[in-house]
Amino acid sequence: MAGDPREPFQRRLSKLIQERQSWVSHWKELNEYILPRRGRFLGSALKTQAQPNRGEKINQKIIDSEATRSLGILVSGLMSGVTSPARKWFQLRTPDREMMEFGPVKEWLTSVEDSMYEIFAESNFYQVLPYVYEEMAVYGTGAMMQFNDYENVVRFQAFSTGEYCIAQDYTYSVNAIYREAQMTVEQVAKMYGLENCSQSIRDRYSKADYDGWVEIVHLVEPNDSEGGDFWGDDLKTMYGSNRAQDKPWRMVCYEKAGNDGKLLSVGGFDNFPIYCPRWHLEIPNVYGRSPGMNALGDIKQLQDQQKKKGQAIAKMVNPPMVADPAMKNQRMTTLPGDVTFADTSTAGGFKPAYQVQPRLNEFIMDMEDVRRRIQSAFFADVFLAISNMAGIQPRNE
């Protein structure tokens, strides 16, 4: 094949990253105050944010976790109210209402519904979906891919903000995703076949460097997008068994840093296998806006209030002290029950520099008002109210 088959995809990836760049600083701030362990910003100035297995403490800016708790209530409410694994939450119908009254049709639709519910329950669908809800509620956009699975029919994987870029068609529906992922040498070799890997990975694998990290680009897009002419005779021969080049959607995987001009794999789909819900889409934006964005100002205010409240209490309990210059080399203490010897016959002595008497009740009332605004932004108050009604009156299902 003439040229590097990765080149058109690298070119489009660069354009999509540039288009996404204005969102990154906002997403990073949401990371710091709500979900510090989410977001993987590969290929950007936030490179350290993308390192796997980051075990260090990264939630230094969270003093009050009200936003994270409210987010948890929102996600739980969506899971129980919209996609509950404990009850049926969708029903299949035909466009023709009269046909729905035909017994065999109703029986067939019911059978398909039951099969879908069973497949969802056997797969990891209900384990992955909360992550999608979290991403959508905090960053405005969620992403999940459906894979075929020989054991459980389907398997799902959620992607985190920053590791992917998306594009949309003329109906403003997402129709392409470019994802930068990190996999170990062993994972790449086992998933794509060592023969399809670059010489660099083959060398690392032969030296038993199984756990070293490799950057992979994974994309799904219409088969007539930029790079649609990348099918050469050798690729058509290689992937001719499933006629990937004839599918309406193509999936391509390759090593980002590979220099062998090879692709790890090429596949095709009859339907777009990516789900990218956006909380609130302002056309023509590609990425959505979220409750987390709406609440960010209140969240930062609450952290500042908690910090200042702690400082006020600390100054009440352990105030700054002043002492007579004559006591400079003497032993002084503020421990309970301990004694500091000072001359109290003059204006000197050992005493607080100033009296701190914060009006804590008013302080706490103002903080509670901020908490309620955060809860309202995440609809936590609504879901809690619905939950409290459960024991009083039946809920509509």
Side-chain angles (χ1 to χ4, degrees), residues 312-319 334:
I313 294 175
K315 288 182 178 180
M316 288 176 61
V317 177
N318 189 19
T334 58

Side-chain angles (χ1 to χ4, degrees), residues 82-139:
V82 181
T83 52
S84 172
R87 63 179 175 84
K88 291 189 174 183
W89 48 271
F90 67 86
Q91 186 177 19
L92 300 180
R93 294 182 178 273
T94 63
D96 189 335
R97 293 187 177 183
E98 293 183 0
M99 186 177 293
M100 282 295 300
E101 302 302 321
F102 187 46
V105 172
K106 294 174 66 175
E107 183 178 349
W108 182 82
L109 290 174
T110 301
S111 175
V112 173
E113 278 181 25
D114 292 340
S115 297
M116 292 177 67
Y117 280 118
E118 184 176 353
I119 289 171
F120 285 151
E122 292 294 329
S123 72
N124 64 338
F125 177 74
Y126 292 112
Q127 288 74 44
V128 171
L129 201 54
Y131 292 98
V132 179
Y133 285 150
E134 276 188 348
E135 296 268 334
M136 185 170 54
V138 174
Y139 309 108

Side-chain angles (χ1 to χ4, degrees), residues 12-20 165-167 178 287:
R12 189 178 189 191
L13 175 61
S14 297
K15 292 179 181 178
L16 290 175
I17 289 177
Q18 183 178 2
E19 189 73 19
R20 183 192 65 184
C165 303
I166 56 176
Y178 274 62
Y287 300 95

Side-chain angles (χ1 to χ4, degrees), residues 145-191:
M145 183 171 180
Q146 176 181 320
F147 296 89
N148 294 329
D149 189 277
Y150 288 106
E151 293 184 4
N152 299 316
V153 184
V154 292
R155 174 172 52 87
F156 298 89
Q157 182 178 350
F159 305 143
S160 192
T161 295
E163 72 172 295
Y164 64 86
C165 303
I166 56 176
Q168 56 190 6
D169 59 21
Y170 70 96
T171 67
Y172 301 101
S173 300
V174 175
N175 72 338
I177 186 168
Y178 274 62
R179 170 174 166 257
E180 297 174 285
Q182 290 175 306
M183 301 176 66
T184 65
V185 170
E186 184 178 30
Q187 288 172 336
V188 175
K190 297 295 184 182
M191 185 170 184

Side-chain angles (χ1 to χ4, degrees), residues 248-260:
W249 305 92
R250 65 166 170 244
M251 179 175 71
V252 179
C253 301
Y254 61 89
E255 300 170 43
K256 188 174 183 180
N259 57 5
D260 294 11

Side-chain angles (χ1 to χ4, degrees), residues 176-237:
I177 186 168
Y178 274 62
R179 170 174 166 257
E180 297 174 285
Q182 290 175 306
M183 301 176 66
T184 65
V185 170
E186 184 178 30
Q187 288 172 336
V188 175
K190 297 295 184 182
M191 185 170 184
Y192 300 109
L194 195 59
E195 68 279 4
N196 295 319
C197 297
S198 66
Q199 187 62 47
S200 173
I201 288 185
R202 292 200 294 269
D203 292 342
R204 293 170 67 179
Y205 191 84
S206 66
K207 296 176 182 177
D209 181 19
Y210 303 131
D211 301 308
W213 293 99
V214 179
E215 287 194 23
I216 302 297
V217 175
H218 167 225
L219 66 98
V220 182
E221 65 181 3
N223 208 7
D224 58 353
S225 297
E226 181 180 6
D229 58 350
F230 85 107
W231 293 99
D233 291 337
D234 49 354
L235 276 184
K236 289 181 180 179
T237 301

